[in-house]
Amino acid sequence: MEIIEIIEKTRKAVAKAKAAGKKIGLVPTMGALHEGHFSLIKAAKKQTDFVVVSIFVNPAQFGPGEDIDKYPRPFDADVKACKKLGVNVVFAPTVEQMYPVRDNKSSKSDLKSTMAESKVVVSNGMYPEKNLTWINVEKLSEPLCGKSRPGHFRGVATVCAKLFNIIRPDFAFFGQKDAQQAIIVQRMVADLNMPLKIVVCPTVREKDGLAMSSRNKYLNAKERKDAVLLYAALQEAELFIKAGVRKSSELKKEMEKILKISKQIKVDYISIVDAQTLNEIKEVKGQVLIALAVKLGAARLIDNIMLDVE
Ligand code: PAF
């Protein structure tokens, strides 16, 4: 397994694999890998011949007040896990590689030296300021997490487009846990005619139902216990739907009751939306996404279920 920081070197490694007729799979991550990521890597190993895992804590998707400096970075453990799973390349670029300072007037050689000395402003969650090109997947980026994290999905879509341009994968693997992210990336790929397929893999859960997330590390013992209520609330909604309830307002009330069992849980949103448009629906029908986000101690946790309702 190769660990590569430089974009050109990564391109060369992938080009070599492509020339040998291999299908390329990309698993984009911000590191702190857990079983959820491992399931994506395993799916990539099954479906493709050459697997690249990118590890890049993307400053552009952190808003002000979201502490990028505290984001866990257990790089050695991540690399060890990738090796064990048979990953071919870990692409771990620096911020300067991904967001170089560019001056439109510079010559090619100027650009090289600017890149070497680049100082990308990332302090306190600011966007890398010199990037002028951003991908904004309209409408889909606004509801759900987009409301309390303005700019977040612009950062996600832009970095994914950069990664797709660098790696040129045939398939890229995302988790259903970040349902809105997966839907946005799928739409970007379709709208911009990008030549790859997005594969969305099921959410991996702890034995008690909590969705695996790098953010679970922030929970203390009491918060960890209460965190099971997220999935319990989603399951409650599913039970009520199976029993014939169709009104979203009624379902949301039942979910709130479950979440209120914990005094520590602060609900950001409970949303019941059309799984394609992400528009709120009054009555559940067709493909429906039931999603929630809460603040629990220092962690912001999200979870969702996707249902086909007759
Ligand atoms: O889901 C994540 O870890 C990130 O949002 C992603 C897709 C790697 C983009 O930075």
Side-chain angles (χ1 to χ4, degrees):
M1 184 182 84
E2 277 190 276
I3 304 163
I4 313 182
E5 188 182 288
I6 310 295
I7 289 174
E8 274 319 311
K9 262 184 145 181
T10 311
R11 283 201 165 121
K12 274 189 191 143
V14 174
K16 200 170 153 198
K18 276 200 173 180
K22 295 187 173 162
K23 284 261 171 275
I24 313 297
L26 168 66
V27 181
T29 81
M30 297 209 299
L33 305 181
H34 50 69
E35 288 296 333
H37 297 112
F38 301 160
S39 76
L40 302 182
I41 296 172
K42 284 176 194 163
K45 285 288 294 176
K46 249 193 200 158
Q47 224 169 306
T48 67
D49 317 300
F50 190 88
V51 176
V52 180
V53 172
S54 62
I55 298 181
F56 178 63
V57 182
N58 174 31
Q61 66 189 76
F62 287 77
E66 294 180 28
D67 201 349
I68 185 171
D69 298 331
K70 285 214 179 111
Y71 199 84
R73 289 170 169 84
F75 188 70
D76 292 343
D78 288 347
V79 165
K80 212 169 152 191
C82 286
K83 206 169 188 178
K84 204 169 156 199
L85 289 167
V87 168
N88 298 88
V89 169
V90 169
F91 173 53
T94 58
V95 173
E96 287 80 0
Q97 278 277 306
M98 293 298 278
Y99 295 99
V101 174
R102 291 192 176 88
D103 175 351
N104 289 342
K105 284 175 255 156
S106 308
S107 68
K108 216 173 168 189
S109 59
D110 284 345
L111 181 60
K112 261 192 190 160
S113 59
T114 316
M115 280 173 75
E117 296 158 13
S118 67
K119 286 192 194 82
V120 177
V121 181
V122 289
S123 62
N124 204 16
M126 294 289 286
Y127 295 129
E129 288 185 346
K130 301 292 175 182
N131 209 60
L132 296 181
T133 309
W134 296 99
I135 295 183
N136 187 24
V137 182
E138 293 174 6
K139 293 205 167 87
L140 298 178
S141 299
E142 288 154 21
L144 307 168
C145 289
K147 266 195 195 149
S148 46
R149 305 188 72 190
H152 169 69
F153 290 114
R154 184 180 87 144
V156 170
T158 304
V159 85
C160 286
K162 280 171 178 276
L163 290 168
F164 297 164
N165 278 334
I166 293 164
I167 314 287
R168 305 273 168 129
D170 298 289
F171 298 88
F173 297 79
F174 290 81
Q176 174 61 31
K177 202 209 105 213
D178 297 300
Q180 188 175 13
Q181 167 172 283
I183 289 166
I184 286 171
V185 172
Q186 275 174 321
R187 185 59 189 249
M188 171 184 78
V189 164
D191 283 356
L192 298 182
N193 308 92
M194 292 178 166
L196 75 150
K197 273 218 168 72
I198 302 300
V199 182
V200 183
C201 302
T203 303
V204 180
R205 298 183 181 280
E206 304 278 3
K207 278 200 184 97
D208 61 9
L210 176 65
M212 300 261 184
S213 164
S214 313
R215 290 189 164 85
N216 295 349
K217 287 197 180 90
Y218 301 137
L219 301 170
N220 66 29
K222 171 83 176 74
E223 290 158 0
R224 172 63 189 81
K225 264 192 182 163
D226 287 2
V228 300
L229 296 172
L230 275 79
Y231 189 47
L234 292 165
Q235 283 180 307
E236 185 80 344
E238 188 172 1
L239 269 180
F240 273 80
I241 291 171
K242 279 191 179 143
V245 175
R246 293 290 177 271
K247 269 198 171 159
S248 296
S249 55
E250 221 173 295
L251 294 167
K252 283 183 191 173
K253 263 189 205 144
E254 297 304 329
M255 292 173 74
E256 271 162 21
K257 271 191 216 162
I258 302 279
L259 294 172
K260 271 192 186 142
I261 294 172
S262 164
K263 289 208 172 62
Q264 310 191 86
I265 288 180
K266 308 260 173 307
V267 177
D268 176 3
Y269 66 79
I270 299 174
S271 287
I272 302 183
V273 296
D274 177 285
Q276 256 84 54
T277 62
L278 299 186
N279 289 334
E280 288 281 344
I281 47 177
K282 287 199 171 118
E283 301 258 329
V284 291
K285 198 177 173 214
Q287 233 204 355
V288 171
L289 177 71
I290 307 183
L292 51 81
V294 307
K295 194 92 202 292
L296 182 50
R300 185 177 184 279
L301 302 178
I302 59 172
D303 201 353
N304 69 82
I305 51 172
M306 191 94 88
L307 297 174
D308 249 319
V309 185
E310 278 175 17

